[in-house]
Amino acid sequence: MIKMKDVHKKYKNGVSALNGIDIHIEKGEFVYIVGPSGAGKSTFIKLIYREEKASKGSVVINDIDLGTLKEKEVPLLRRDVGVIFQDFRLLNKLTVYENIAYALEVIEESPKHIRTRVMEVLDLVGLKHKARFLPDELSGGEQQRVAIARAIVNNPIIVIADEPTGNLDPDTSWDIMQTFEEINTRGTTIIMATHSKELVNTIKKRVIAIEGGVIVRDEDRGEYGYEA
Ligand code: ADP
C-alpha cells in the first residue's frame, strides 16, 4: 500500500529533512506519525501525496511509483489519497456543499452522482443540515468535518492528515477522532501526524516516531513517548 525504501529528502536550501526512511504500511492500517517539531513529519506526509518529491530512494503508493510519476499523472494519485490539514483549507466563498462537490466536479462525475455522494459524506460527518452554510458560519470542528468529507468524497484508499486536531479544543478533537475511526473501520488507511499525547495514548494505534529525519520507533499500539 505505502512503501518507502531508503528515502531521503533534501530541500533546495540544503536542509536534509529525511535521511533514510524505510517503511511499509498495509491497507486498512491507522498510523500516528509523532516526533518533535522539525523532525520531518510534514515532509514524510508530503511525499505520500507528491507535494514534494524524494531526493533519493523509492516511494510507492498503491503500486504507483512516485519516482517515475509524471506531473500530468499526479491527479490520478490524488484520487487515491485524500488530504486533511490543520487549518482546514476550505474555499471560503463556496458553501459546504460546493466545497465538497468541487472535488467531484473536477473529475467530471455526473451531477446526479455528485449530489448523492456529497449528501452521503455530509451525513457521515454529521453535517447534512449545514450543506448550505459558508465555512465561516461554522465552528472549527465543523469546518474540519467538512474538510474530512471533502477528503473522502472520492473514496480514496488512503487518508492523510497533518495535525488535524491542532486548531481544535480537546472535546472537538475526540469527535474528530471518532470520525477518523469510522472512516478507518470502512477500510480506508489513515496516516495522521499529531502532537496530541492524549489522543495517541488513549486511542491506541501503530505509532511511527520520526526524529532528525529518521524513524526512531515503530510500534503497534504504541505510546506518544514525548512530553505534551
Ligand atoms: P515537522 O513536520 O516534523 O515539524 P518538517 O517536515 O516540516 O518537520 O520539517 C523538517 C525540516 O525540513 C525542518 O528543518 C524544516 O525547517 C525543513 N523544511 C521543511 N519544509 C521546507 C522547505 N519547503 N524548504 C526548506 N526546508 C524545509
Side-chain angles (χ1 to χ4, degrees), residues 65-219:
D65 183 344
L66 303 201
T68 54
L69 191 72
K70 298 189 179 76
E71 282 310 316
K72 66 170 196 288
E73 294 166 335
V74 171
L76 278 177
L77 169 75
R78 301 269 168 90
R79 285 194 199 190
D80 287 344
V81 184
V83 191
I84 295 155
F85 304 94
Q86 178 173 358
D87 55 358
F88 323 135
R89 301 199 191 175
L90 301 173
L91 298 168
N92 286 318
K93 292 203 168 79
L94 300 184
T95 65
V96 164
Y97 179 92
E98 289 163 347
N99 262 283
I100 301 166
Y102 182 71
L104 293 175
E105 282 158 5
V106 295
I107 59 170
E108 298 180 351
E109 290 285 356
S110 74
K112 188 164 171 257
H113 171 78
I114 292 176
R115 171 131 202 103
T116 313
R117 181 65 186 148
V118 173
M119 292 320 280
E120 210 171 87
V121 289
L122 273 175
D123 196 25
L124 178 69
V125 300
L127 283 177
K128 231 171 156 177
H129 60 298
K130 299 217 165 155
R132 290 171 188 279
F133 283 51
L134 290 168
D136 66 9
E137 295 169 329
L138 303 179
S139 69
E142 287 172 334
Q143 290 188 48
Q144 192 59 299
R145 286 177 185 290
V146 176
I148 293 172
R150 179 183 56 184
I152 61 170
V153 75
N154 278 329
N155 265 319
I157 303 159
I158 302 165
V159 165
I160 296 176
D162 197 353
E163 298 250 13
T165 63
N167 283 350
L168 305 175
D169 61 60
D171 281 351
T172 310
S173 300
W174 293 112
D175 289 347
I176 292 289
M177 278 304 290
Q178 280 189 351
T179 306
F180 278 115
E181 288 227 273
E182 169 77 30
I183 295 165
N184 180 238
T185 304
R186 293 169 185 226
T188 309
T189 308
I190 311 254
I191 319 278
M192 180 185 296
T194 183
H195 279 124
S196 174
K197 181 179 180 177
E198 243 201 312
L199 290 185
V200 174
N201 289 351
T202 309
I203 305 174
K204 291 289 185 80
K205 306 287 180 192
R206 179 174 174 187
V207 174
I208 296 174
I210 300 180
E211 288 179 28
V214 296
I215 293 174
V216 293
R217 184 157 55 91
D218 182 352
E219 295 167 346

Side-chain angles (χ1 to χ4, degrees), residues 3-20:
K3 284 185 206 150
M4 292 195 189
K5 214 169 158 202
D6 195 28
V7 168
H8 294 246
K9 174 65 187 180
K10 192 171 184 176
Y11 285 107
K12 283 200 194 90
N13 63 358
V15 172
S16 290
L18 297 176
N19 301 301

Side-chain angles (χ1 to χ4, degrees), residues 11-13 15-17 35-44 46 52:
Y11 285 107
K12 283 200 194 90
N13 63 358
V15 172
S16 290
S37 282
K41 303 182 295 296
S42 292
T43 303
F44 173 81
K46 285 175 181 168
E52 294 289 350

